[in-house]
Amino acid sequence: MAIKVLTIQEDILGANDEKAKENGVFLDKKGILMVNIMSSPGAGKTSLLLKTVENLKSKTRIGVIEGDVASTIDAEKVSEQEVPVLQINTAGGCHLDANMIEQALKNMPLDDIDLLLIENVGNLICPAEFALGEQRKAMLLSLPEGDDKPYKYPLMFTEADVVLVNKIDLAPLLEFDMDSFMKAVKGLNSKVRIFQISCKTGKGMDEWYSWLEGELKSYRG
Amino acid sequence: MAIKVLTIQEDILGANDEKAKENGVFLDKKGILMVNIMSSPGAGKTSLLLKTVENLKSKTRIGVIEGDVASTIDAEKVSEQEVPVLQINTAGGCHLDANMIEQALKNMPLDDIDLLLIENVGNLICPAEFALGEQRKAMLLSLPEGDDKPYKYPLMFTEADVVLVNKIDLAPLLEFDMDSFMKAVKGLNSKVRIFQISCKTGKGMDEWYSWLEGELKSYRG
């Protein structure tokens, strides 16, 4: 059965990659930068989104797609910021895929959006395998998760354009070896940018905002 | 494509359930209690395992199966406790399945084991969908992950026999509404036992050890 699963998985990934490419081409034509934000459950994706929208919405026209197995909790929080938001429920699925994003794009006011932020399903494994058509991949790793995660979930760190190390306000209470973590991440992905942040205190967030604005600027030429 | 995936998924789950039943019958004959421990990445499964083995190994013959996408970090830590341990690498797979456990059981000294603890892959979604043949399911939720997780990952909380709320030593620094969390979990699963623990300080761990010993006693008659 193991081999059977693998074959099916490859077919799905191939079909998904095709659809993701189509989404990417479509977004390029529209001039929309789509950023796929991924992490474990509870690492702080929604807090990051809320702070980012709050900080950038006066300068940039932002839209948000929320991915969750169940519930609309996150979309409700984002909608308070009065930006376009759409919730995808995967009904048990452990990641978003390119077909879901194609459907979502059909249901968003794309002419009013320059930066489209996607909160993927909380999972450090499968979201890294399924391209959505995004131009950038961001991942969060929160300090309480531990510094060994690059060894245990290597693909996510390999795929990311930027790694945000969140909850650094908890550092004094935790045994998290930042040097060892940085070295492991750079070993997998030498080009990745790494920012240490706290969505709670705001520390390091300006670097992330600047990075996003810089990427948007270079994308839109 | 969404419907295709769902159909395949159902076939896989059906075949997995059959194999899981076989594993369960086999373990019953051997008199081995297998406990499937599940959580998000970094919630503390390995710390829980290490403390549990350390505390119970003088009274109970314990074996451990470690599930990870990659690496043998966790198995190496457990092997220092000098109990039988086997590492399964899923090579990208986001959960263990019954076939993997069948293979693992063939490679363990089962005549020397009464309690078999499984650390599943760090993931709050798919491990809840794939039965392994275990007699008990335990899940960890660490405080930094937030109190809204039962709404966002309901199946895991519905399937668990026991929920361990870990890292309660961080409670003073976090906004985690324990009453609201408890209510949400009980709403999904009225029979579940919930223990508040800290693998770091040891708080609440005795309740978990007693529960495990009680389950082993009642299982073995």
Side-chain angles (χ1 to χ4, degrees):
Chain A
M1 200 181 86
I3 291 163
K4 192 179 161 200
V5 175
L6 194 65
T7 312
I8 293 162
Q9 178 80 337
E10 279 171 358
D11 287 343
I12 293 172
L13 284 175
N16 185 73
D17 281 349
E18 278 303 306
K19 181 59 71 182
K21 266 183 208 160
E22 289 173 30
N23 290 344
V25 169
F26 175 75
L27 290 166
D28 285 347
K29 278 185 194 156
K30 287 270 182 194
I32 298 172
L33 183 77
M34 187 161 83
V35 182
N36 181 7
I37 304 174
M38 299 173 280
S39 80
S40 298
K45 289 183 297 306
T46 311
S47 300
L48 179 78
L49 264 173
L50 290 172
K51 293 276 180 186
T52 304
V53 169
E54 195 183 332
N55 193 277
L56 294 183
K57 71 178 176 184
S58 63
K59 296 183 271 186
T60 309
R61 301 182 309 161
I62 303 179
V64 174
I65 296 174
E66 284 289 343
D68 280 293
V69 172
S71 92
T72 55
I73 297 175
D74 291 346
E76 285 162 28
K77 284 182 194 165
V78 173
S79 71
E80 288 171 18
Q81 295 279 340
E82 293 178 356
V83 295
V85 57
L86 190 139
Q87 175 83 50
I88 299 174
N89 280 152
T90 63
C94 63
H95 58 86
L96 295 177
D97 67 30
N99 269 295
M100 295 175 189
I101 296 303
E102 183 192 32
Q103 295 306 312
L105 292 176
K106 285 181 185 164
N107 287 283
M108 296 206 77
L110 298 181
D111 292 336
D112 303 329
I113 295 171
D114 299 318
L115 175 63
L116 183 54
L117 302 173
I118 299 181
E119 178 174 348
N120 214 313
V121 177
N123 178 352
L124 219 47
I125 307 165
C126 306
E129 294 170 5
F130 284 79
L132 306 178
E134 71 277 50
Q135 288 89 6
R136 302 290 184 276
K137 289 177 201 274
M139 73 156 291
L140 266 85
L141 188 283
S142 64
L143 235 55
E145 293 172 67
D147 52 39
D148 61 351
K149 294 300 163 288
Y151 299 106
K152 296 169 87 174
Y153 305 89
L155 186 63
M156 183 64 80
F157 292 89
T158 308
E159 289 282 321
D161 296 297
V162 59
V163 172
L164 303 168
V165 188
N166 192 23
K167 307 192 188 180
I168 52 161
D169 51 292
L170 297 176
L173 288 130
L174 303 169
E175 288 157 28
F176 187 100
D177 186 334
M178 190 63 78
D179 290 341
S180 158
F181 173 77
M182 293 275 210
K183 207 174 150 185
V185 176
K186 291 281 183 183
L188 290 166
N189 182 346
S190 60
K191 290 182 197 163
V192 73
R193 298 291 304 271
I194 306 176
F195 302 134
Q196 298 180 38
I197 65 166
S198 168
C199 291
K200 194 173 179 181
T201 67
K203 195 170 173 184
M205 295 292 281
D206 284 340
E207 282 185 285
W208 156 247
Y209 303 145
S210 298
W211 182 83
L212 263 184
E213 287 185 293
E215 295 300 305
L216 186 60
K217 208 170 171 179
S218 71
Y219 173 70
R220 292 172 69 99
Chain B
M1 201 180 87
I3 291 164
K4 192 179 162 198
V5 175
L6 193 66
T7 312
I8 294 163
Q9 179 79 337
E10 278 171 358
D11 288 343
I12 294 172
L13 285 174
N16 185 73
D17 281 349
E18 278 303 306
K19 181 59 70 181
K21 263 183 210 161
E22 289 172 31
N23 290 344
V25 169
F26 174 75
L27 290 166
D28 285 347
K29 277 184 194 157
K30 288 272 183 191
I32 297 172
L33 182 76
M34 187 162 83
V35 182
N36 181 7
I37 303 175
M38 298 173 281
S39 80
S40 297
K45 290 183 296 304
T46 312
S47 298
L48 179 79
L49 264 173
L50 291 172
K51 293 277 181 184
T52 304
V53 169
E54 194 182 334
N55 192 277
L56 295 183
K57 72 178 177 183
S58 64
K59 297 183 271 184
T60 309
R61 301 182 310 162
I62 303 180
V64 174
I65 296 174
E66 284 289 345
D68 280 294
V69 171
S71 91
T72 55
I73 297 174
D74 291 346
E76 284 163 29
K77 284 183 194 164
V78 174
S79 71
E80 287 171 18
Q81 296 279 338
E82 294 179 356
V83 296
V85 57
L86 190 140
Q87 176 82 50
I88 299 174
N89 280 152
T90 63
C94 64
H95 59 87
L96 296 175
D97 66 31
N99 269 296
M100 296 175 189
I101 296 302
E102 183 191 32
Q103 294 306 312
L105 293 175
K106 285 179 185 165
N107 288 284
M108 297 205 78
L110 298 181
D111 292 337
D112 303 329
I113 295 171
D114 298 318
L115 175 64
L116 182 55
L117 302 173
I118 298 181
E119 177 173 348
N120 215 313
V121 176
N123 178 352
L124 219 47
I125 306 167
C126 306
E129 293 170 5
F130 283 79
L132 305 178
E134 71 277 53
Q135 288 88 8
R136 301 290 185 277
K137 289 178 201 275
M139 74 156 290
L140 266 84
L141 188 283
S142 63
L143 237 54
E145 292 171 68
D147 53 37
D148 60 350
K149 293 300 163 288
Y151 299 105
K152 296 170 85 173
Y153 305 89
L155 186 64
M156 184 64 80
F157 291 88
T158 308
E159 288 282 320
D161 296 299
V162 58
V163 172
L164 302 168
V165 188
N166 191 23
K167 307 193 187 180
I168 52 161
D169 50 292
L170 297 176
L173 287 130
L174 303 169
E175 288 157 29
F176 187 99
D177 185 334
M178 189 63 78
D179 290 340
S180 157
F181 173 78
M182 294 274 209
K183 208 175 150 185
V185 176
K186 290 282 183 180
L188 289 166
N189 182 347
S190 60
K191 288 181 196 162
V192 72
R193 297 290 304 271
I194 305 176
F195 302 134
Q196 298 180 38
I197 65 167
S198 167
C199 291
K200 193 172 180 183
T201 67
K203 195 169 173 185
M205 295 292 281
D206 285 339
E207 280 186 286
W208 157 247
Y209 303 145
S210 298
W211 181 84
L212 262 185
E213 287 184 293
E215 295 300 304
L216 185 61
K217 207 169 172 182
S218 71
Y219 173 69
R220 293 171 68 98

